[in-house]
Structure formats: structure tokens, C-alpha cells
Amino acid sequence: MASSEVKGRHDVPSFVLLDTQSYITGRPNSTTATSKTSIDLPIEVTFCAAHPPDLSYLFIHCPGLEVEPTDLSLAPKIISADADLVLLRVPRDPMARMIPSHSDYFVYKLNPEQSKLYLLPNPYPECFSDNEIAILGYGNRFAVATIRMPLRDFSFMLHLYHSGPDGKPGSWTSQRVPVEEPQRDIVCPIPDSAQRLMYHLTTKVITLGGAKGTVGFVDLWRGILLCDLLEDSPKLRDMPLPLPAKGNWSKFLNSCPYYCRDIAVNQSKDTIKYVEMEITRPTKVTWIASTSDSDSYYEWLNHQKLPRSYSLVPGSWKMTTWSMPIPITSWDSWHRRCTIRSEDINLPSDNTRHYELLRKLMSSGGTEEEKATEATLSLGCLHMAYPTMSIADDDDVVYLLSKGTSIRSVEMGVAVDASTGTLQGVVKLDTKRHVGFMRCCIASGISKHLKTTGSCGNQQVGGGLCLNE
């Protein structure tokens, strides 16, 4: 469900939070592009825009994938994005599920006149993780790339695809690329407590662009490996991330980095933006009357049936944002921008929609006693994690995934301005579309390429406005 601000606005957002899971259905409009899969099935892709913190979507319709919309194991996956391009992975048939080697890769190009959908040659026998593939647009062509570390020496294998002009078919190439002057082991050595000892594991990609076509393969725990895809002999340059915050020292290289970190390139592509959170989760404490003085086993059993009392120990979080100018020079160029704590956030005190949604989130899914307790608490009673950085040119807005402490709690997207400590927006998310509390979107500037002379239609899906002529 969208917020009232989204429903009533016909302006196009400057950037969107693109859901990594698509809708398996047809919803054609002026953004629709068509093609065929590798087994000659027709396929169409449509973009549906929404204002952050609501999620935007891609609708993907393919007769060979006519399955239940909630079967997320078959939902085509949004991999990465750059400008007006989105890289997708689509299973070839229902039996293939989401095995990369059994999937087709497509590049969707949003064009105000006519959007295009390009099928890429499958990179088989290579099999890439969704987190490690970058896309770069340059001129009327595009490149897709990933790096894999060889097992026997300290270098990487660059797998690179260049399209022909206007997206015409190209081919995959592979070449070994060295890392020039590795820095991360000097700047931020791996502690003895670390369970993951790999030098680099790509967990996200960023596109810096420029004349050399620079992309960054990001290990969100350790650093960025920068690669100039348009150079004849590309090399990898190592750029460590800021040192881990104290609250994450024990978690460093021992847990999912998405939970507390994110990195992005702003739309002007002159700044890298980075955020780290230190999170203490809220915990529920339940207790019953003491049974230590029970005289018999049966009396002790009866005590087990007594109503349990409930209390909530609030959590908290601290968020720090950083920036680095592009072109990148040295690790010393990281600049701390601002720090904010959850207790410093200025919550709306009047009966606004944001306030009502937060109160619903705080009191969802529990007993009446739990609801009464949670409704009186602040952000400390919520799980808030998985930050996504805004890619606007000059702000410190961070989008968080949030839910209450109950298993049946609703999930919401919350926008926080870390520089001012203000709540920018709250929206309810469609929990049926995501399995578990986990990262579910990427920031993309694709909406800037929508045709704005038409009017917005009335089609509503997950809060998105499907733009029609």
C-alpha cells in the first residue's frame, strides 16, 4: 500500500528503490519492452515507478513462467542497474528455478520513445553470483562484468561482455587482471576473531562511469576493487572502506554486511556515499511466577500454565555516513559526514500518516499486553536494519527496513535524514513478496529517463505508479 503522498503525485521521482524481485505478470504501458528468451518464448518487461521509501517494480511477463505470483523462487531477479539500464536474470523454465546456469540474462533499457530488451549470451560454463555482476552504459552500448579470484595466485579473472552498437549481440571474454598495490590488509588487517578470511568477496557492485568506464566490485566488509572496463589492459585498484565502527568490531567478517552497511554512487557520479550502522536489537523478556518453592511435581506443572508476563528491552542504533569524491585518489579521502542515533530521531507528534504507520508497526502481531506496551515506545522497540543509501546528489537520507518484534509483524520502509535527525517517510511493504527480514532493493536512477509529458495512470501495485501515455 502506498502512502497518500505517492498516490496523489504525478511527478516522476529523481531516483527509485527498485525491488530486486519482479512481478510475474503483464502490465504493459509506455515503458514496456519485448524480446524472446533463449528457448524462443516471448517475454515483456514493464517499469512501474514509485516515490521512495516505497518500492518500484519491474513486471515481467513470459508464457513459460506462468506460476503463482508468490512463488519467489521463480521470480526473475533484478541484478544491477546503471542510468537507464537494468540487468535481469530470468529462469528458462519452471523446473530450472533460479540456478544461474539455467537462466537467461537480459538488459532492459528504458527509452522515452521505445524501451528495449536485449538477451545476452549465457556465460556458461561460468556461473556468477547475483551480487557480483556490474552493468555499465557508455554511448549507445553497454558492458556487463564480474571478477572471480583464481585459486592459485593473487589475481582475479575478469569476465567481460561488450554489446555491439545499439545493444546488438556481442560476446564474453575472460582475462586475468592483477590488483595493483593492495592496501586493505595494511589499512584494516583481518582480526583473529574473523571467520571469513578471504581477501575479497563481492557483495555489491557500483558504477562510477567516466571516460574509462570505471566500476567497483565491493566487499562491504573490506573494500572496493576498482576496474576500468573500457581500458585495453584493465587493472584492479584497491580502495579500503572506512575502519569498522566499534559496535561492529566483533561482527567484522562474521555476519551479513548488508545488515549494517551500504554503499552507492550519487547520480552526478562525482561522489561515493557510504553508511554503517551499529545495531543493538530490541529483545523480548517473558517470565512466570517463581516455581522454585513448589512442593510437588504436579504443583510445578500447574505453575507452568500461569499467564506469562511480558516486557520489552528496547534496542538502539547509531548511523554514520561517509563520502569520497570521484575521481578516487587515496583512502584518506574518505570524509565523515554525520552521525545520528535512533533516540535522536525527531518523530512526528501529531496524528500524521507516518505516525499512524509507525504506531501500527510498533503494535503489530502481538498479544493485547504486548501491543499496549509497544505502542508507547519509540524507535527502540523496532528492528531497523538493512540500510540503503539515497543516490541524490547532496543529501544524507538513508532508507531502512523495519519491523516490530513479533513474528507476525508487518514490514515497513523508513526514510531517515541522518544530517537533520528527521523522519522523511514511512510506507508499508508487501511482506508476501519477500521471504524473511532481509535486503530487498537497490537504488536506481532509471526513473530520470521516464517520459514526463504524459500523465500518470491509476494502476496501483505495491504503491507504484505505472506511467501511461
Side-chain angles (χ1 to χ4, degrees):
M1 179 181 297
S3 66
S4 57
E5 292 88 348
V6 172
K7 288 183 179 179
R9 291 165 60 182
H10 288 178
D11 56 314
V12 176
S14 61
F15 73 94
V16 295
L17 301 178
L18 191 58
D19 195 323
T20 55
Q21 299 283 0
S22 64
Y23 276 95
I24 311 176
T25 185
R27 185 71 59 120
N29 63 22
S30 60
T31 71
T32 301
T34 61
S35 184
K36 288 189 176 182
T37 69
S38 60
I39 57 175
D40 211 33
L41 294 175
I43 182 172
E44 70 174 32
V45 177
T46 301
F47 175 55
C48 180
H51 289 268
D54 221 327
L55 301 186
S56 297
Y57 300 94
L58 289 183
F59 296 96
I60 300 180
H61 178 60
C62 181
L65 293 178
E66 291 175 347
V67 296
E68 290 295 325
T70 56
D71 190 350
L72 300 181
S73 64
L74 278 176
K77 186 77 177 289
I78 285 76
I79 306 276
S80 57
D82 177 39
D84 57 350
L85 302 171
V86 178
L87 178 64
L88 321 171
R89 184 160 63 81
V90 182
R92 292 196 190 117
D93 60 74
M95 297 302 295
R97 296 287 158 177
M98 286 309 288
I99 303 173
S101 60
H102 294 166
S103 299
D104 286 335
Y105 289 96
F106 286 92
V107 171
Y108 170 70
K109 181 179 178 63
L110 179 61
N111 188 288
E113 302 304 325
Q114 183 179 4
S115 297
K116 300 289 185 181
L117 186 62
Y118 304 105
L119 173 65
L120 273 60
N122 194 285
Y124 183 84
E126 300 297 333
C127 184
F128 307 138
S129 167
D130 291 340
N131 300 326
E132 62 187 18
I133 312 177
I135 185 168
L136 165 76
Y138 62 101
N140 62 353
R141 303 175 66 181
F142 58 83
V144 177
T146 186
I147 56 171
R148 313 296 298 277
M149 178 179 280
L151 297 177
R152 295 186 178 180
D153 61 3
F154 184 73
S155 61
F156 289 76
M157 190 66 71
L158 172 65
H159 301 281
L160 179 61
Y161 173 87
H162 282 287
S163 75
D166 297 318
K168 292 182 179 179
S171 60
W172 287 94
T173 61
S174 299
Q175 60 180 302
R176 196 174 293 258
V177 291
V179 179
E180 296 185 325
E181 299 182 10
Q183 298 184 48
R184 63 187 64 180
D185 286 339
I186 299 172
V187 171
C188 184
I190 297 177
D192 292 339
S193 60
Q195 298 175 10
R196 203 208 89 191
L197 302 178
M198 293 177 62
Y199 177 81
H200 180 91
L201 176 66
T202 301
T203 50
K204 186 172 182 177
V205 294
I206 55 176
T207 304
L208 289 68
K212 296 182 179 180
T214 306
V215 300
F217 300 97
V218 184
D219 181 332
L220 275 171
W221 276 133
R222 305 217 62 205
I224 314 167
L225 289 178
L226 298 160
C227 186
D228 299 330
L229 298 185
L230 302 185
E231 292 283 276
D232 292 334
S233 299
K235 304 290 190 298
L236 296 176
R237 290 170 287 140
D238 191 17
M239 180 52 59
L241 294 173
L243 295 176
K246 185 174 183 179
N248 289 329
W249 289 354
S250 63
K251 302 180 179 68
F252 185 61
L253 291 167
N254 290 326
S255 60
C256 174
Y258 294 129
Y259 188 74
C260 61
R261 293 182 167 198
D262 188 44
I263 192 169
V265 175
N266 71 344
Q267 289 188 302
S268 295
K269 295 191 174 181
D270 60 10
T271 303
I272 295 179
K273 305 168 76 172
Y274 170 75
V275 62
E276 180 175 25
M277 297 178 68
E278 300 165 79
I279 302 172
T280 301
R281 298 177 61 178
T283 56
K284 286 184 177 182
V285 178
T286 57
W287 54 278
I288 59 175
S290 173
T291 58
S292 60
D293 57 351
S294 299
D295 294 328
S296 70
Y297 174 73
Y298 298 105
E299 184 178 351
W300 177 80
L301 281 179
N302 288 330
H303 278 154
Q304 305 301 306
K305 300 176 183 179
L306 294 175
R308 283 167 167 75
S309 297
Y310 162 84
S311 63
L312 183 69
V313 179
S316 64
W317 50 261
K318 178 181 176 181
M319 178 190 298
T320 302
T321 63
W322 301 75
S323 66
M324 174 179 279
I326 299 173
I328 294 174
T329 54
S330 72
W331 181 76
D332 293 331
S333 296
W334 281 114
H335 169 68
R336 186 194 300 263
R337 290 179 60 89
C338 56
T339 297
I340 191 74
R341 299 176 185 271
S342 54
E343 53 266 33
D344 299 330
I345 301 299
N346 183 23
L347 298 178
S349 57
D350 54 349
N351 192 19
T352 64
R353 179 172 179 80
H354 293 164
Y355 176 78
E356 289 299 323
L357 285 172
L358 275 178
R359 191 172 68 171
K360 182 178 180 180
L361 179 58
M362 293 177 186
S363 61
S364 61
T367 65
E368 291 303 318
E369 183 180 1
E370 290 172 355
K371 291 178 181 180
T373 302
E374 289 180 349
T376 63
L377 297 177
S378 64
L379 296 181
C381 77
L382 302 176
H383 293 301
M384 302 188 76
Y386 297 101
T388 298
M389 289 293 298
S390 160
I391 60 173
D393 285 338
D394 190 23
D395 70 22
D396 287 283
V397 175
V398 181
Y399 300 93
L400 303 173
L401 193 60
S402 182
K403 65 177 296 186
T405 55
S406 169
I407 294 177
R408 298 181 298 276
S409 173
V410 297
E411 289 185 10
M412 295 196 185
V414 179
V416 172
D417 189 330
S419 63
T420 63
T422 56
L423 190 71
Q424 297 288 302
V426 182
V427 293
K428 181 180 176 182
L429 301 179
D430 185 357
T431 53
K432 294 180 181 179
R433 294 188 39 75
H434 303 108
V435 181
F437 186 59
M438 59 194 304
R439 175 178 177 258
C440 62
C441 66
I442 58 175
S444 168
I446 189 173
S447 53
K448 290 183 64 176
H449 302 271
L450 285 168
K451 191 172 183 179
T452 59
T453 55
S455 61
C456 292
N458 295 321
Q459 304 175 60
Q460 294 285 335
V461 178
L465 296 174
C466 298
L467 305 184
N468 294 322
E469 292 301 321

